[in-house]
Amino acid sequence: MSPRDDAGVTLATARATRPRDIRVDLQLIAEMIEPGSRVLDVGCGDGALLDHLVHFKQVDGRGLELSMDGVHACVSHGLSVIQGDADTDLKDYPTDAFDFVVLSQTLQAMRAPREILGHLVRIGRRAVVSFPNFGYWRARLALLVQGRMPVTDRLPYQWWESPNIHVCTITDFVSLCREMGITIERSVILDRHDLVRGSGFGALANLIAAQGVFLLHRS
Amino acid sequence: MTVQTPARTAAAPINTGWPGHGVLLGPMRLDCGVELDRFPIAYQTYGSLDPDRANAVMVCHALSGDQFVLDRHPMTAKSGWWEAMVGPGKAIDTNRYFVICTNVLGGCMGTLGPKEVNPATGLPYGLGFPVITIADMVRAQKLLIDHLGIAQLFCVVGGSMGGMQVLQWAVSYPEAVFAAIPIAASARHSAQNIAFDEVGRQAIMADPDWHAGDYISHGVVPHRGLAVARMAAHITYLSETALHRKFGRSLQNRTAVTYGFDADFQVESYLRHQGSTFVDRFDANSYLYITRAMDYFDLAAEHDGVLANAFRWRGRSTPVRFCVVSFSSDWLFPTAESRATVHALNAVAANVSFVEVATDKGHDAFLLDEPQFHQVIEGFLTGCAEHRGLKDRRRGAA
């Protein structure tokens, strides 16, 4: 199962209600992508974002998805999607093959997030990455007060069932980007109601953001 | 060596002796160096070609297949081999697409093959037939679409050896293919598959009635050898689960084993039936030549051993849109083979979809009723039609 399946939306139902109600974080990603560009969506789930980009931004869109159900949904609806594992398959893609590579709500489920991040900014001239923020105050509070691993809207799993094996905070992410020579071009942070709460990635953002969306490129 | 065929004339319709169409085409140079002059191609078509000739779909058949995708077979009276996939309202919708299927070069259903008469000798070619390749089969199909005035096929699709032809089409004629669907196929025949082919060929050649390929002159058919070849191959088309589900250890019309070598088990009876019915409709020498063509197939070999190079085109990636399909229980062309093709396509950033269909029916799943598989093909084609700007003439009718 794709870590992005949390909304539980099938492509068929998503189609019926589109254009405007793809998830807010997906809309924010879509806004960062230039019309007509070449886009690879890594962990594209049921293809909701890809379908939106193909039809409303006229992108040349491709997807990579682990779950068979996701791939079937995508290809059956005319999207170019490969059944595969980002942890092993991204190395095959040539450098600068795409204008944008998207990784939405999936980084924390990767076996090797650092390598993945490296591939994203290598394969794409730009990368768009969104992930749930473990530095969010509710997560911190859960650990501090209850002494329990946080279960939040964005990280809804118990520790023993979670596909999210590499959760991080915004500060962790920013620090890794700096270490890898990756420039954060833009960022948007969202609270748990998916309301946009700003565009920073400092200490305050790390406290109030339930998730963040980042536009990256190689420095 | 030059193979003599009838004197050169303009491409002319001919009667191949089988239902459907036939045409004399050529000349054509084979990979082995032999120049074919004029030679017959037998083919079938379904649906109608749009005035702009943009809706043609080439279906490529597998080793033991033929051009009768939808027709009742003229010899066995069985229904067409891909009625699950092709037809009015099916995934490959003949209300929308113009489907073409040729009998492959080297075949035995009307296209030039070893059982046809060599005009130079007045006798069947037999082993005098030149060794052909998958690329030769595709070259012959290209002559046909040129003859039909089709500049670009909307799609080339096929399973198993048909999938090899699909890949070869995309590599040989990328501008003449808009979309390609290689199903349960591979960009090169594996050692295991060559081994199975060799078992089949040795079975045929060990049959005394084979007469070094000259059995037609002797008025016999190496039916035992060909039947054994088919039986061995047929096992590779299934899966252990499918065999077990279908037959288990059930006995054939008896309550106990007979302590002899009759077909005690249903699975034996089934295989014997598969073997004997195949002999009635297939030519033993064709079986040798076509399996050889599959053995020789290796797309990477012609491109410095790098498969990705096969998919480069004018310094860029191939313009062909791919949908690669494999089946989880296929051990003849396992998913790993399809994945290797996908990785090579990714390496040139080609437009590719890849689906592994979960099924326990083995390699033959591509011929069977697999709704999820058919949905994928239909969706892929519909998406491609949108990109290609194909008019959906079904809407007017609906």
Side-chain angles (χ1 to χ4, degrees):
Chain A
M1 177 164 150
S2 159
R4 219 166 79 188
D5 282 348
D6 51 345
V9 187
T10 68
L11 193 68
T13 60
R15 263 182 177 250
T17 50
R18 243 174 277 136
R20 279 182 194 82
D21 60 356
I22 56 170
R23 281 193 339 241
V24 176
D25 60 312
L26 298 184
Q27 281 178 36
L28 290 170
I29 292 170
E31 280 167 22
M32 291 184 182
I33 286 169
E34 289 161 14
S37 55
R38 288 160 60 89
V39 178
L40 174 67
D41 187 355
V42 179
C44 62
D46 60 25
L49 174 65
L50 206 52
D51 195 50
H52 178 91
L53 291 172
V54 166
H55 286 97
F56 297 102
K57 290 238 170 176
Q58 289 73 46
V59 305
D60 178 5
R62 320 281 171 76
L64 179 69
E65 169 60 29
L66 188 58
S67 84
M68 211 75 85
D69 288 347
V71 177
H72 279 290
C74 291
V75 180
S76 300
H77 286 86
L79 299 170
S80 299
V81 172
I82 289 167
Q83 199 275 325
D85 185 346
D87 269 315
T88 55
D89 293 352
L90 286 179
K91 64 172 175 11
D92 293 321
Y93 290 86
T95 299
D96 285 340
F98 293 91
D99 299 309
F100 292 90
V101 179
V102 176
L103 186 75
S104 158
Q105 304 291 332
T106 305
L107 186 66
Q108 75 284 353
M110 301 283 98
R111 280 193 298 276
R114 185 187 165 116
E115 279 68 29
I116 295 285
L117 205 53
H119 282 306
L120 296 184
V121 294
R122 176 185 66 78
I123 297 165
R125 292 192 300 108
R126 289 196 171 93
V128 185
V129 176
S130 75
F131 60 88
N133 174 29
F134 217 62
Y136 182 44
W137 68 270
R138 284 175 182 274
R140 298 191 199 192
L141 206 60
L143 201 53
L144 183 70
V145 175
Q146 297 170 326
R148 299 284 305 268
M149 288 300 283
V151 176
T152 66
D153 298 330
R154 282 281 147 212
L155 294 164
Y157 304 97
Q158 293 292 340
W159 65 272
W160 44 266
E161 63 177 358
S162 179
N164 302 317
I165 53 177
H166 283 121
V167 287
C168 71
T169 70
I170 286 177
T171 305
D172 288 329
F173 180 76
V174 169
S175 146
L176 179 61
C177 285
R178 195 169 295 138
E179 202 180 308
M180 293 178 71
I182 294 170
T183 302
I184 298 174
E185 207 173 306
R186 272 174 71 187
S187 70
V188 180
I189 56 167
L190 302 172
D191 67 15
R192 71 183 180 121
H193 303 296
D194 283 343
L195 293 172
V196 174
R197 286 292 173 190
S199 59
F201 46 83
L204 182 62
N206 195 28
L207 193 65
I208 63 173
Q211 62 167 320
V213 183
F214 299 85
L215 180 63
L216 315 170
H217 65 81
R218 273 168 285 161
S219 299
Chain B
M1 168 171 134
T2 299
V3 172
Q4 297 290 319
T5 44
R8 184 173 305 197
T9 54
I14 52 155
N15 183 359
T16 62
W18 299 107
H21 313 282
V23 63
L24 275 182
L25 293 171
M28 189 180 93
R29 194 179 171 78
L30 300 173
D31 280 338
C32 66
V34 169
E35 186 90 28
L36 289 182
D37 190 4
R38 307 294 276 180
F39 63 97
I41 294 180
Y43 65 101
Q44 263 299 20
T45 66
Y46 309 93
S48 60
L49 191 59
D50 280 346
D52 59 3
R53 297 169 193 236
N55 67 329
V57 172
M58 175 72 77
V59 168
C60 301
H61 71 70
L63 164 61
S64 61
D66 49 48
Q67 66 270 40
F68 304 111
V69 177
L70 294 185
D71 309 74
R72 201 156 279 284
H73 196 278
M75 300 189 78
T76 65
K78 283 189 179 159
S79 50
W81 60 268
W82 221 9
E83 287 191 352
M85 176 68 85
V86 185
K90 295 288 173 67
I92 301 174
D93 189 346
T94 49
N95 288 331
R96 181 169 202 193
Y97 308 115
F98 176 63
V99 172
I100 308 166
C101 183
T102 74
N103 182 215
V104 293
L105 188 64
C108 51
M109 296 299 281
T111 295
L112 184 66
K115 79 166 189 188
E116 302 300 320
V117 171
N118 182 349
T121 61
L123 296 169
Y125 283 100
L127 288 197
F129 195 72
V131 169
I132 43 127
T133 64
I134 300 291
D136 291 330
M137 294 175 184
V138 168
R139 244 174 234 130
Q141 290 163 356
K142 178 67 163 58
L143 287 181
L144 177 66
I145 70 154
D146 290 346
H147 165 69
L148 297 174
I150 296 163
Q152 188 190 51
L153 290 165
F154 168 63
C155 178
V156 186
V157 55
S160 196
M161 185 184 82
M164 291 176 164
Q165 293 165 67
V166 172
L167 291 169
Q168 186 70 56
W169 258 102
V171 170
S172 295
Y173 308 106
E175 286 166 289
V177 179
F178 186 78
I181 311 179
I183 301 161
S186 163
R188 58 150 181 55
H189 219 33
S190 69
Q192 178 172 274
N193 290 1
I194 295 170
F196 278 120
D197 284 350
E198 177 60 2
V199 168
R201 284 190 296 264
Q202 287 300 329
I204 291 168
M205 294 193 273
D207 189 326
D209 282 343
W210 182 58
H211 291 290
D214 194 27
Y215 46 87
I216 297 178
S217 303
H218 288 78
V220 290
V221 173
H223 58 90
R224 282 160 299 184
L226 183 57
V228 170
R230 174 64 169 177
M231 287 165 78
H234 199 81
I235 299 167
T236 69
Y237 304 153
L238 305 174
S239 69
E240 201 208 349
T241 318
L243 271 177
H244 184 76
R245 186 184 49 231
K246 214 166 177 177
F247 308 108
R249 290 182 51 83
S250 305
L251 300 179
Q252 180 70 22
N253 302 330
R254 62 200 68 185
T255 49
V257 295
T258 61
Y259 296 95
F261 295 102
D262 278 353
D264 276 352
F265 294 98
Q266 279 183 8
V267 66
E268 291 174 290
S269 170
Y270 169 78
L271 278 182
R272 289 182 187 192
H273 174 75
Q274 287 296 328
S276 67
T277 55
F278 186 62
V279 171
D280 293 338
R281 68 174 178 90
F282 212 84
D283 177 58
N285 283 337
S286 272
Y287 197 88
L288 302 183
Y289 278 92
I290 295 174
T291 53
R292 203 59 177 154
M294 293 171 78
D295 292 352
Y296 283 176
F297 188 63
D298 184 353
L299 277 180
E302 302 158 26
H303 295 85
D304 312 319
V306 181
L307 184 56
N309 289 344
F311 300 116
R312 290 186 207 282
W313 177 73
R314 295 185 181 168
R316 290 181 293 143
S317 87
T318 171
V320 181
R321 307 168 78 91
F322 286 84
C323 181
V324 179
V325 180
S326 71
F327 298 98
S328 56
S329 54
D330 184 348
W331 57 281
L332 191 61
F333 291 89
T335 290
E337 299 276 2
S338 289
R339 216 177 267 285
T341 303
V342 170
H343 286 179
L345 286 163
N346 278 346
V348 296
N351 192 315
V352 51
S353 292
F354 166 57
V355 177
E356 182 193 46
V357 176
T359 172
D360 65 3
K361 291 175 187 158
H363 182 62
D364 261 357
F366 81 93
L367 298 168
L368 304 174
D369 185 27
E370 288 280 348
Q372 215 177 20
F373 166 46
H374 297 154
Q375 277 165 23
V376 163
I377 302 300
E378 183 176 7
F380 173 73
L381 284 177
T382 303
C384 287
E386 218 171 281
H387 283 281
R388 178 70 179 83
L390 276 195
K391 285 181 286 291
D392 192 351
R393 50 185 185 187
R394 295 170 306 178
R395 270 182 205 143

